[in-house]
């Protein structure tokens, strides 16, 4: 499918919007842009929240509206969050995973174990440290600063770091 110059401009505008909680990570690399529709009258953007209680949703919506309005050519801009399909960490691009690592967050699927919200058991193998790569790490808390993150400690370089909770495998 050939994208129009307006579609490309809107996608570039979306790629310039960054997650307010993880500034080096764009919303496109985070994989929350679900759908883009452009008509003669409007530009509609549907976004997937990483989790429904995310405190940054209003900021993200405002940033997307502002960025898209600049390239929309006078069209009405509508941004809304949808819950279907549900966002999963599989949507994070390789560039997004590298941005997470550079920010000191372990990307999901990097060797960590699923930690249920009520789980207190330590994982059998350490989650790789985003600073030095060592797996000599410990899960400090299943509860990070947000519901989707955990806190860890690296015994090798002695740095604390956060990680996204990986999605649970179907049972």
């Amino acid at each position: 499918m050939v994208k129009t110059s307006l579609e490309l401009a809107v996608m570039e505008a979306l790629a310039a919007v960054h997650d307010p909680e993880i500034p080096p990570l764009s919303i496109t690399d985070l994989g929350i842009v679900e759908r883009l529709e452009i008509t003669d009258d409007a530009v509609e953007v549907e976004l997937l929240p990483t989790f429904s209680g995310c405190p940054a949703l209003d900021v993200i919506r405002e940033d997307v509206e502002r960025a898209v309005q600049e390239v929309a050519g006078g069209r009405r801009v509508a941004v809304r969050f949808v819950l279907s399909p549900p966002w999963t960490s599989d949507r994070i691009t390789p560039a997004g995973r590298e941005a997470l690592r550079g920010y000191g967050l372990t990307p999901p699927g990097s060797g960590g174990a699923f930690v249920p919200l009520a789980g207190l058991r330590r994982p059998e193998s350490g989650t790789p440290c985003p600073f030095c790569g060592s797996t000599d790490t410990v899960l400090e808390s299943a509860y990070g600063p947000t519901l989707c993150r955990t806190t860890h400690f690296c015994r090798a370089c002695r740095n604390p770091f956060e990680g996204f909770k990986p999605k649970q495998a179907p049972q």
Side-chain angles (χ1 to χ4, degrees), residues 90-112:
D90 295 339
R91 295 176 68 107
I92 300 173
T93 66
R97 290 173 187 279
E98 198 52 44
L100 287 172
R101 195 174 345 278
Y103 192 63
L105 279 167
T106 296
S110 297

Side-chain angles (χ1 to χ4, degrees), residues 3-167:
K3 293 193 183 260
T4 68
S5 60
L6 180 55
E7 286 173 310
L8 292 173
V10 170
M11 288 307 296
E12 286 179 16
L14 292 172
V17 175
H18 289 263
D19 184 300
E21 293 182 312
I22 309 167
L25 183 63
S26 75
I27 64 168
T28 54
D29 283 332
L30 183 56
I32 69 169
V33 178
E34 171 59 18
R35 188 180 72 81
L36 170 63
E37 184 173 335
I38 299 174
T39 66
D40 291 338
D41 304 337
V43 176
E44 296 179 2
V45 181
E46 289 184 351
L47 304 173
L48 300 171
T50 55
F51 74 100
S52 59
C54 178
L57 296 182
D58 289 335
V59 173
I60 293 170
R61 178 188 340 236
E62 291 168 7
D63 289 351
V64 168
E65 286 172 350
R66 189 176 316 113
V68 173
Q69 194 64 56
E70 290 180 15
V71 298
R75 291 171 177 80
R76 177 181 58 81
V77 174
V79 178
R80 69 185 187 114
F81 286 93
V82 296
L83 301 177
S84 181
W87 179 88
T88 72
S89 57
D90 295 339
R91 295 176 68 107
I92 300 173
T93 66
R97 290 173 187 279
E98 198 52 44
L100 287 172
R101 195 174 345 278
Y103 192 63
L105 279 167
T106 296
S110 297
F114 173 72
V115 181
L117 282 177
L120 299 176
R121 202 176 86 205
R122 302 283 188 226
E124 308 242 338
S125 63
T127 299
C129 174
F131 300 111
C132 71
S134 172
T135 57
D136 187 12
T137 61
V138 294
L139 174 69
E140 288 289 314
S141 176
Y143 308 98
T146 63
L147 292 175
C148 61
R149 298 188 339 216
T150 56
T151 56
H152 304 261
F153 180 76
C154 179
R155 291 180 180 135
C157 69
R158 309 210 35 86
N159 277 305
F161 63 95
E162 297 173 8
F164 274 103
K165 290 178 183 167
K167 69 178 186 178

